[in-house]
Amino acid sequence: MTKSLVLPNQQEEIMFKALRNAALAFALAAITLTAGGKTAGADEAAAAITQQLKNYEQALNKSDVDAVMKLYAKDAVFMPQYSLPSVGRDAIRTAYENVFKAIKLNIVFKIDEVRPLAADWAYARTRSNGTVKVLASDQGPGPEANQELFVFHREDDGQWRIARYIFSTTNPPR
């Protein structure tokens, strides 16, 4: 049996071809995982985020601060209309406590889109409609309508949580 002698230039060429083939295989795998513009697991992420939005809707309608807080990420930011942002869980809890002392919501979310941005990040664009009752008033409930943008982060426990949330009214000015 004869041994083949590999010269240094041939070794470089063999190594280059191996790296090129590995890069092509990786690129092909990435294309397969993102076929149709969706990352692998996009359907699962969208389903989990849709459920979290339903949980949020229910928590708002029940004025349940604890249920709302289970949906927020560790480093979340809540940016309500006409207010400065609430940064961090303590500030967000206080903001929702104040909201629920002031108003009673009865709303329904319509999810317009849920889009993964990366393995652990996604956004959702929604609209909500329903009524709001000002608790310090003897007037009946009035119309409530908003458009919302949520940024979700999948945390270490695998749960998708609200990392950033901003909304604005779609009701016409009075």
Side-chain angles (χ1 to χ4, degrees):
M1 185 190 286
T2 59
K3 288 187 173 180
S4 61
L5 178 64
V6 178
L7 300 174
N9 285 344
Q10 289 175 319
Q11 275 184 315
E12 288 176 15
E13 186 176 332
I14 291 169
M15 186 176 282
F16 174 77
K17 285 180 181 179
L19 287 172
R20 183 189 66 204
N21 290 341
L24 288 172
F26 180 76
L28 182 58
I31 290 167
T32 302
L33 290 174
T34 59
K38 291 186 176 183
T39 59
D43 292 338
E44 293 86 0
I49 290 167
T50 297
Q51 184 58 54
Q52 291 295 65
L53 289 167
K54 288 178 184 177
N55 294 340
Y56 183 63
E57 174 188 294
Q58 292 170 358
L60 290 177
N61 289 332
K62 291 178 181 176
S63 301
D64 187 340
V65 175
D66 291 332
V68 167
M69 294 311 300
K70 289 178 184 175
L71 302 169
Y72 270 93
K74 295 174 188 170
D75 63 347
V77 179
F78 172 48
M79 298 175 283
Q81 177 173 277
Y82 308 122
S83 299
L84 292 173
S86 297
V87 179
R89 292 182 55 81
D90 291 339
I92 293 170
R93 176 177 285 283
T94 299
Y96 278 97
E97 287 169 348
N98 292 330
V99 166
F100 295 150
K101 286 177 190 171
I103 63 172
K104 173 68 176 138
L105 292 166
N106 184 7
I107 58 160
V108 175
F109 277 99
K110 179 180 184 320
I111 300 170
D112 292 316
E113 64 180 323
V114 175
R115 299 266 173 115
L117 299 169
D120 294 327
W121 290 93
Y123 75 86
R125 186 174 55 85
T126 64
R127 290 175 282 148
S128 59
N129 287 288
T131 60
V132 60
K133 166 77 172 112
V134 177
L135 297 175
S137 168
D138 55 359
Q139 292 183 345
E144 175 73 0
N146 291 295
Q147 57 190 349
E148 302 95 6
L149 186 64
F150 295 84
V151 177
F152 282 87
H153 181 246
R154 183 170 34 204
E155 295 194 317
D156 293 339
D157 65 358
Q159 292 293 311
W160 287 94
R161 291 199 173 84
I162 301 166
R164 304 293 183 272
Y165 172 43
I166 188 169
F167 67 89
S168 65
T169 186
T170 56
N171 283 332
R174 294 181 189 178

